[in-house]
Amino acid sequence: QVQLVESGGGLVQPGGSLRLSCATSGFTFSTFSMSWLRQAPGKGLEWISDINSAGGNPYYVPSVKGRFTISRDNDKNTLYLQMNSLKPEDTAVYYCALGGESSWSVVGAWGQGTQVTVLS
């Protein structure tokens, strides 16, 4: 079955960096667009970025554009999110999801999440 396992979260100071990873299995990773989502305390699930199956055409919500970089390694079946210049408002549980911006909610497959806390 589809498995998505996020890692790399942690506690950082404002301005710091983290690199999230999402190890996948149970599907042909190289044929699917992938997304990163996040859920801040007391808020709903928010799509923040996606990338196509070949690793191109990355898209970002304005709040993270220029600070976050999505990438993938199709040989390792792994999705990444490099997060720089972190702000307290980036504090959230981060999830990787199968599908792009328009399809992830329909597919309905995401991992257990990894907590990112940016001190304020």
Coordinates of all heavy atoms in Angstrom, one line a residue, residues 1 5 9 15 20 22 29 42 44 46 56 59 69-71 81-82 85 88 91 95-96 105 108-109 114 119-120:
Q1 N 0.8 -1.2 0.0 CA 0.0 0.0 0.0 C 0.9 1.2 0.0 O 2.1 1.2 0.3 CB -0.9 0.0 1.2 CG -0.3 0.3 2.6 CD 0.3 -0.9 3.2 OE1 0.6 -1.9 2.5 NE2 0.5 -0.9 4.5
V5 N 6.5 8.7 4.5 CA 7.1 8.9 5.8 C 8.0 10.1 5.8 O 9.1 10.1 5.2 CB 7.9 7.6 6.2 CG1 8.5 7.8 7.6 CG2 7.1 6.4 6.2
G9 N 12.0 17.3 10.7 CA 11.5 18.4 11.4 C 12.3 18.6 12.7 O 13.2 17.8 13.0
G15 N 15.1 32.5 11.2 CA 16.2 32.6 10.2 C 16.9 31.4 10.0 O 17.8 31.3 9.1
L20 N 13.4 18.9 5.0 CA 12.5 17.8 5.3 C 12.7 16.7 4.1 O 12.9 17.1 3.0 CB 11.1 18.3 5.3 CG 10.7 19.4 6.2 CD1 9.2 19.7 6.2 CD2 11.2 19.1 7.6
C22 N 10.8 13.0 2.6 CA 9.6 12.1 2.5 C 10.0 10.8 1.8 O 10.1 10.9 0.5 CB 8.5 12.8 1.9 SG 7.0 11.8 1.6
F29 N 6.7 6.1 -7.8 CA 6.9 7.5 -7.4 C 7.2 8.3 -8.6 O 6.7 9.5 -8.7 CB 8.1 7.5 -6.4 CG 8.6 8.8 -5.9 CD1 7.8 9.5 -5.0 CD2 9.7 9.4 -6.4 CE1 8.2 10.8 -4.5 CE2 10.1 10.7 -6.0 CZ 9.4 11.3 -5.0
G42 N -4.2 25.0 15.3 CA -5.6 25.5 15.3 C -6.1 25.9 13.9 O -7.1 26.5 13.7
G44 N -6.4 24.7 9.4 CA -6.7 23.6 8.6 C -5.4 23.2 7.8 O -4.4 23.9 7.8
E46 N -3.0 23.1 4.8 CA -2.7 24.0 3.7 C -1.7 23.4 2.7 O -0.6 23.0 3.1 CB -2.1 25.3 4.4 CG -1.6 26.3 3.4 CD -0.8 27.4 4.0 OE1 -0.2 27.2 5.1 OE2 -0.7 28.5 3.4
G56 N 10.3 19.0 -12.3 CA 10.2 20.3 -12.8 C 9.0 21.0 -12.4 O 8.1 20.5 -11.6
Y59 N 5.9 24.8 -7.8 CA 5.0 25.9 -7.5 C 5.0 26.0 -6.0 O 5.1 25.1 -5.2 CB 3.6 25.6 -8.0 CG 3.4 25.8 -9.5 CD1 3.5 24.7 -10.3 CD2 3.2 27.1 -10.0 CE1 3.4 24.9 -11.7 CE2 3.1 27.2 -11.4 CZ 3.2 26.1 -12.2 OH 3.1 26.3 -13.6
T69 N 12.3 25.4 -1.0 CA 12.6 24.7 -2.3 C 12.2 23.3 -2.3 O 12.7 22.5 -1.4 CB 14.1 24.8 -2.7 OG1 14.5 26.2 -2.7 CG2 14.4 24.2 -4.1
I70 N 11.3 22.9 -3.2 CA 10.9 21.5 -3.3 C 11.8 20.8 -4.3 O 12.1 21.4 -5.3 CB 9.4 21.4 -3.7 CG1 8.9 20.0 -3.5 CG2 9.1 22.0 -5.0 CD1 7.4 19.9 -3.7
S71 N 12.1 19.5 -4.1 CA 12.9 18.7 -5.0 C 12.5 17.3 -4.8 O 11.9 16.9 -3.8 CB 14.4 19.0 -4.9 OG 14.8 18.6 -3.6
L81 N 12.0 19.0 1.0 CA 11.6 20.4 1.1 C 12.7 21.1 1.9 O 12.9 20.8 3.1 CB 10.3 20.6 1.8 CG 9.8 22.0 1.8 CD1 9.4 22.5 0.4 CD2 8.6 22.2 2.8
Q82 N 13.5 21.9 1.2 CA 14.5 22.7 1.9 C 13.9 24.0 2.3 O 13.3 24.8 1.5 CB 15.7 23.1 0.9 CG 16.7 24.0 1.5 CD 17.5 23.3 2.6 OE1 17.9 22.1 2.5 NE2 17.8 24.0 3.7
S85 N 15.4 30.6 5.9 CA 14.9 31.9 6.5 C 13.5 31.6 7.2 O 12.5 32.3 7.0 CB 14.7 32.9 5.4 OG 15.9 33.2 4.7
P88 N 8.5 32.3 12.6 CA 7.6 31.7 13.6 C 6.3 31.2 13.0 O 5.8 30.2 13.4 CB 7.4 32.8 14.6 CG 8.7 33.6 14.6 CD 9.1 33.6 13.2
T91 N 5.7 27.6 11.8 CA 5.5 26.5 12.7 C 4.2 25.7 12.4 O 3.2 26.3 12.2 CB 5.3 27.1 14.2 OG1 6.6 27.7 14.6 CG2 4.9 26.0 15.2
Y95 N 3.5 17.8 6.0 CA 3.1 16.5 5.4 C 3.5 16.5 3.9 O 3.4 17.5 3.2 CB 1.6 16.2 5.4 CG 1.0 16.3 6.8 CD1 0.6 17.5 7.3 CD2 0.8 15.1 7.6 CE1 0.0 17.6 8.6 CE2 0.2 15.2 8.8 CZ -0.2 16.4 9.3 OH -0.8 16.4 10.6
C96 N 4.0 15.3 3.4 CA 4.1 15.1 2.0 C 2.8 14.4 1.5 O 2.2 13.6 2.3 CB 5.3 14.4 1.6 SG 5.4 12.7 2.1
S105 N -5.9 16.3 -2.7 CA -7.1 16.1 -1.8 C -8.0 15.1 -2.3 O -8.7 14.4 -1.5 CB -7.8 17.4 -1.6 OG -8.3 17.9 -2.8
G108 N -6.0 11.7 -1.6 CA -6.2 11.4 -0.2 C -5.1 10.6 0.5 O -5.3 9.9 1.5
A109 N -3.8 10.7 0.0 CA -2.7 10.0 0.6 C -1.6 10.9 1.1 O -1.0 11.6 0.2 CB -2.2 9.0 -0.4
T114 N 5.7 15.7 10.1 CA 6.9 16.0 10.9 C 6.7 17.4 11.4 O 6.4 18.3 10.7 CB 8.2 15.8 10.1 OG1 9.3 15.9 11.0 CG2 8.3 16.7 9.0
L119 N 11.0 29.1 16.9 CA 10.9 29.8 18.1 C 10.5 31.3 17.8 O 10.9 31.9 16.8 CB 12.2 29.8 18.9 CG 12.6 28.4 19.3 CD1 14.0 28.4 20.0 CD2 11.6 27.8 20.3
S120 N 9.7 31.9 18.7 CA 9.3 33.3 18.5 C 9.9 34.1 19.7 O 10.5 33.6 20.6 CB 7.8 33.4 18.4 OG 7.3 32.9 19.6

